């Protein structure tokens, strides 16, 4: 009952104007290469090729980017995100990440459709900022993860999470505070919220909790706190 009340209370009129993302072809990722040499960039960061393949990660030679699908709650691909493989991207003023199809208002949670069974089994979802952190967490054995694809929670994602009714563990990058996030402050009144913090100042600014490997992530996860 509380979930229904929450959804009605925070359903703003302007949110109703959001149009569903048009789904792309189911085989849209087949146009890109499974190029092991180019994907080595992420393998070196700790994500095995088998995991990359399972998440649909490929390489686009035209844009020189590592690409991966963005799916909606129904598991339909609605966009493709690309991470530049150019080591001089900053000097060349290239975007590190870009979407091949505009997402507009992000009314989805990355990996939710694939992780939903594990999320329900554990009654918990771990939320990162980016997709790469989700893939790393998967390799660590944490398969109940999703990503906001940004550093804050928006009203549409709020409704998704309240509707799930499970515990939410925020695992945002170091330096990002959840306490000033309006939607997270609203949500804590309806579902349990926990957060991973920079325990022992292990992480550098803007590092994801997954960036230092399994041992550090496990330590951070085990020392998470409840957001009261």
């Amino acid at each position: 009952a509380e979930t229904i009340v929450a959804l009605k209370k925070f359903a703003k009129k302007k949110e109703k104007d959001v149009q569903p993302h048009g789904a792309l072809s189911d085989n849209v990722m087949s146009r890109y290469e499974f190029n092991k040499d180019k994907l080595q960039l992420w393998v070196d960061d700790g994500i095995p090729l088998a995991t990359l393949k399972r998440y649909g990660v490929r390489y686009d030679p035209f844009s020189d980017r590592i690409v991966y699908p963005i799916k909606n709650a129904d598991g339909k691909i609605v966009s493709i995100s690309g991470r530049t493989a150019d080591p001089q991207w900053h000097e060349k003023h290239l975007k590190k990440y870009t979407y091949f199809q505009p997402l507009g208002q992000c009314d989805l949670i990355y990996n939710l459709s694939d992780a939903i069974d594990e999320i329900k089994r554990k009654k918990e979802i771990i939320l990162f900022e980016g997709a790469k952190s989700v893939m790393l967490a998967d390799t660590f054995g944490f398969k109940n993860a999703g990503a906001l694809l940004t550093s804050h929670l928006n009203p549409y994602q709020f409704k998704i999470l309240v509707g799930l009714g499970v515990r939410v563990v925020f695992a945002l990058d170091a330096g990002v505070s959840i306490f000033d996030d309006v939607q997270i402050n609203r949500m804590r009144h309806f579902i349990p919220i926990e957060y991973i913090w920079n325990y022992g100042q292990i992480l550098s600014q803007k590092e994801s909790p997954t960036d230092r490997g399994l041992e550090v992530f496990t330590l951070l996860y085990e020392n998470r706190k409840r957001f009261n």
Side-chain angles (χ1 to χ4, degrees):
E2 288 184 347
T3 295
I4 295 174
V5 171
L7 292 177
K8 289 182 177 179
K9 183 176 181 181
F10 298 113
K12 310 252 183 214
K13 184 176 181 179
K14 63 180 181 181
E15 294 172 17
K16 296 178 181 178
D17 297 331
V18 174
Q19 298 298 316
H21 295 296
L24 304 178
S25 169
D26 290 339
N27 64 350
V28 66
M29 297 305 295
S30 64
R31 69 181 64 173
Y32 305 112
E33 306 173 357
F34 191 75
N35 187 317
K36 295 180 181 179
D37 290 337
K38 293 294 184 177
L39 296 180
Q40 190 65 36
L41 180 66
W42 279 11
V43 174
D44 290 342
D45 286 339
I47 309 175
L49 279 173
T51 301
L52 294 175
K53 190 171 186 178
R54 184 154 47 82
Y55 277 84
V57 181
R58 300 289 187 272
Y59 172 72
D60 175 28
F62 180 78
S63 64
D64 189 25
R65 288 181 179 273
I66 294 173
V67 295
Y68 52 90
I70 305 295
K71 301 177 183 177
N72 62 17
D74 297 323
K76 298 295 184 181
I77 300 175
V78 295
S79 186
I80 297 168
S81 183
R83 196 279 193 195
T84 181
D86 190 331
Q88 295 182 311
W89 65 271
H90 192 269
E91 292 81 358
K92 294 179 180 179
H93 305 288
L94 300 173
K95 287 185 177 181
K96 188 175 183 180
Y97 286 91
T98 190
Y99 293 111
F100 288 8
Q101 290 79 23
L103 270 182
Q105 180 63 54
C106 186
D107 55 347
L108 54 83
I109 292 174
Y110 174 79
N111 197 48
L112 180 60
S113 61
D114 291 316
I116 188 64
D117 290 341
E118 187 69 3
I119 290 167
K120 290 181 177 180
R121 188 182 74 82
K122 289 192 173 182
K123 299 180 180 179
E124 173 190 278
I125 181 171
I126 305 173
L127 281 179
F128 298 96
E129 289 189 30
K132 187 179 174 185
S133 295
V134 172
M135 298 177 205
L136 280 166
D138 185 307
T139 69
F140 302 159
F142 295 82
K143 301 182 182 300
N144 56 321
L148 299 176
L149 302 178
T150 184
S151 60
H152 61 275
L153 185 71
N154 68 44
Y156 312 103
Q157 294 169 328
F158 164 90
K159 291 166 66 176
I160 293 170
L161 294 171
V162 171
L164 283 177
V166 300
R167 178 174 62 253
V168 177
V169 179
F170 285 95
L172 306 183
D173 292 359
V176 176
S177 172
I178 69 171
F179 301 105
D180 300 325
D181 191 299
V182 173
Q183 301 302 328
I184 295 176
N185 273 279
R186 287 175 171 177
M187 195 168 67
R188 67 191 174 96
H189 298 296
F190 303 99
I191 55 176
I193 296 176
E194 297 176 350
Y195 63 96
I196 289 175
W197 59 291
N198 197 1
Y199 175 78
Q201 297 301 304
I202 296 173
L203 303 175
S204 300
Q205 192 79 350
K206 296 185 178 181
E207 275 195 311
S208 166
T210 59
D211 283 349
R212 298 292 184 97
L214 170 59
E215 185 176 345
V216 168
F217 179 73
T218 301
L219 177 67
L220 294 171
Y221 177 80
E222 290 178 348
N223 283 277
R224 67 193 185 279
K225 293 183 178 181
R226 175 73 184 266
F227 186 22
N228 296 317

